[in-house]
Amino acid sequence: MRDIAVFSGSAHPELAHEVCAHLGVPLSPTRVNRFANDCLGVQLQANCRERDVFLIQPLVRPVQEHLVELLLMCDAARGASAARITVVMPHYSYARSDKKDAPRISIGGRLVADLLVAAGTSRVLAMTLHSPQVHGFFSVPVDHLNALRELAAHFRRYDLTRTTVVSPDLGNAKEAAAFARLIGAQVAAGAKQRFADDLVSINSVIGDVTGRDVIVLDDEIAKGSTVLELLERLRESDPLSIRVACTHGLFAAGALKRLSEQPDVLEIVCTNTVPVPAQEEHTDKLRVLSIAPALAEAVRRIHNGESVSALFEQS
């Protein structure tokens, strides 16, 4: 593949290396340094002139550091006369700030989108945004992937004849329904209210879960409070088995440990859109699926001017 340059920030270089391996191109080096006044500096250490440049950087902890690093990478590529700059952002953490649900609060999802465009971004490749309207915050084209095919391929190894996919809330029910169709399962959803970042209440589960194999599906798991609350409601209906799945396994504040300690949770499945935090205690219940092949194929199609949406028609 010619006339392409792929760079990675410091957020998840392992994923960038894997994407490049599938593309058959080298990962170009990036130099990030910090000045005495605590400002970051970025140098892209490969030729960008008139090349199709892809910058791989999920927004994970420390989010603000990685965001500024990504903005500087975009600016460096623009200053080096890149023909096009595509930001490959497997996890867009600011997508959760997508609405004004209280007085005098910022809508960070839109603001950060504006910053990326102002820095020189020509196109964005994202995966499983927290809500579909975030797609419209960007004034440049956005290719929005999901990991449902990868998750479905994993769960098809099991007997799915008595399976129900459960969304923790109605907001994620559409994605849960799409996943249920892929694996030939039923779908259910929790009736959730959120009172604070780590305080939620699920009053009931809408759908049939009694005596069934349950797959709890969410877009991301951070502190795990929503999933733990949902497990309490599910247990009232005596499901046959419980597995937990998500795209973004953030697992903050000991969430992975708390979930793995639930005796009736047989498995916790996520993808490698973000690195599993080093401080989290590893468990044999965790399964991490790679989305590098999907990202690499999307990058290839963008570079060659082919349809990215056709990827989902092959499911």
Side-chain angles (χ1 to χ4, degrees), residues 2-310:
R2 293 167 33 186
D3 301 319
I4 185 173
V6 182
F7 299 90
S8 172
S10 59
H12 200 355
E14 297 83 6
L15 176 60
H17 278 287
E18 195 176 343
V19 169
C20 286
H22 284 282
L23 283 171
V25 301
L27 179 62
S28 299
T30 305
R31 182 185 175 208
V32 180
N33 62 296
R34 188 181 297 273
F35 296 102
N37 64 355
D38 203 38
C39 291
L40 290 175
V42 169
Q43 181 185 31
L44 304 178
Q45 297 185 300
N47 180 32
C48 297
R49 186 175 296 275
E50 297 305 319
R51 302 183 78 185
D52 204 359
V53 172
F54 293 84
L55 308 175
I56 302 177
Q57 179 90 317
L59 296 186
V60 295
R61 289 174 180 262
V63 173
Q64 280 58 246
E65 294 262 331
H66 290 142
L67 172 58
V68 172
E69 189 178 293
L70 177 57
L71 293 171
L72 293 172
M73 290 170 69
C74 292
D75 183 67
R78 178 174 59 181
S81 302
R84 180 173 61 179
I85 303 167
T86 300
V87 166
V88 181
M89 194 164 44
H91 179 54
Y92 183 36
S93 53
Y94 274 98
R96 293 191 62 152
S97 178
D98 61 349
K99 56 189 175 294
K100 189 173 181 180
D101 54 2
R104 297 173 298 281
I105 64 169
S106 61
I107 303 177
R110 186 187 61 195
L111 173 62
V112 173
D114 289 342
L115 288 172
L116 286 166
V117 174
T121 301
S122 310
R123 190 177 199 97
V124 173
L125 175 61
M127 178 162 281
T128 313
L129 294 169
H130 183 66
S131 52
Q133 65 262 30
V134 174
H135 189 140
F137 288 170
F138 290 89
S139 58
V140 295
V142 176
D143 292 299
H144 186 196
L145 307 182
N146 64 58
L148 297 185
R149 293 180 310 153
E150 287 74 13
L151 292 169
H154 173 81
F155 283 104
R156 286 190 188 113
R157 302 182 305 165
Y158 303 119
D159 180 3
L160 300 172
T161 54
R162 301 178 66 185
T163 298
T164 298
V165 178
V166 181
S167 169
D169 54 48
L170 296 176
N172 196 56
K174 186 175 181 180
E175 183 169 348
F179 179 63
R181 286 194 297 271
L182 282 178
I183 63 174
Q186 295 184 19
V187 66
K192 185 179 86 170
Q193 284 184 293
R194 180 175 292 279
F195 302 102
D197 184 46
D198 57 352
L199 180 60
V200 299
S201 172
I202 298 178
N203 298 321
S204 61
V205 176
I206 305 166
D208 184 17
V209 296
T210 302
R212 299 184 65 82
D213 297 307
V214 166
I215 300 173
V216 175
L217 179 71
D218 208 351
D219 62 326
E220 67 179 61
I221 297 176
K223 290 186 176 181
S225 53
T226 295
V227 174
L228 290 170
E229 176 74 6
L230 179 60
L231 293 178
E232 291 297 320
R233 297 290 77 75
L234 288 171
R235 288 169 184 138
E236 296 171 359
S237 301
D238 295 319
L240 189 63
S241 69
I242 300 175
R243 288 180 166 85
V244 176
C246 68
T247 299
H248 310 299
L250 302 174
F251 302 129
L256 181 57
K257 185 174 186 294
R258 288 195 299 275
L259 287 173
S260 63
E261 287 174 347
Q262 305 300 309
D264 50 356
V265 173
L266 303 181
E267 190 177 41
I268 304 163
V269 183
C270 69
T271 75
N272 63 342
T273 54
V274 301
V276 176
Q279 66 269 26
E280 282 284 348
E281 183 176 331
H282 291 283
T283 167
D284 57 6
K285 291 185 178 181
L286 180 65
R287 306 286 182 271
V288 181
L289 311 179
S290 178
I291 47 82
L295 287 177
E297 179 61 16
V299 166
R300 187 191 68 79
R301 287 169 180 257
I302 290 170
H303 178 64
N304 292 335
E306 300 172 10
S307 171
V308 174
S309 61

